[in-house]
Amino acid sequence: MEKIRCSWCEKDDLYRKYHDEEWGKPVYEDDKIFEFLILESFQAGLSWYTILSKRENFRKAFDQFNYKKIADYSEEKVEELMQNPGIIRNRLKILATINNAQKFLEVQKEFGSFSKYIWSFVNGKPIDNHPKTTKDVPATTEISDSLAKDLKKRGFKFMGSTVVYAHMQATGMVNDHVENCFIR
């Protein structure tokens, strides 16, 4: 019997695999949270599929998403990244990634982990929205508005409410799998 999934992921096997194995599953490890922050920030204005299809290229280009290394990237590294056809070559997003790595470290220092900080916006547990269809899934919520505002206050870039809500979905802070999805 064929599995019923959220309709957005039926484009191809890459999307289905991401949906089935990652999307909406709670992530508490700082390394993985940072990876999704970077990928989501690069997605701003683009499709998630574009980013997902370049994910391994991003992983190689950005030192396995090692935020400690990224925080120290030089102008030479920025120029190297700007020449990499495997990633999105947007200077502002590359610079934002470096900035966000630095801010990520500051949040870790303040809260003990970035995970503690970000999960505090949902009281440490996923919000289960029970959407009937993908049309019932919001692009933003009051929580994503609040989190985006706090991230901006802390100096993060490319972290508007829509990007933040997509991050919350990806890392399982919210469960937006539709009612008839087999994951639910």
Side-chain angles (χ1 to χ4, degrees), residues 18 23-24 36 39-41 43 48 138-141 144 160-174 176:
Y18 170 69
W23 192 73
F36 278 112
L39 294 173
E40 296 293 352
S41 70
Q43 191 232 335
W48 179 243
T140 64
T141 63
S144 68
S161 189
T162 302
V163 168
V164 167
Y165 193 71
H167 181 267
M168 292 171 68
Q169 291 172 309
T171 59
M173 292 174 71
V174 295
D176 278 338

Side-chain angles (χ1 to χ4, degrees), residues 103-112 114 117 154 156:
K103 302 306 175 191
F104 192 89
L105 288 166
E106 289 173 15
V107 170
Q108 278 185 322
K109 190 174 182 181
E110 182 179 345
F111 290 87
F114 193 86
Y117 161 75
R154 293 174 182 281
F156 283 79

Side-chain angles (χ1 to χ4, degrees), residues 36 46 56-57 68 73 75 88 90 104 136 167:
F36 278 112
L46 302 169
E56 291 310 311
N57 296 333
K68 291 175 185 167
Y73 277 3
E75 184 56 40
I88 306 302
N90 179 310
F104 192 89
D136 299 323
H167 181 267

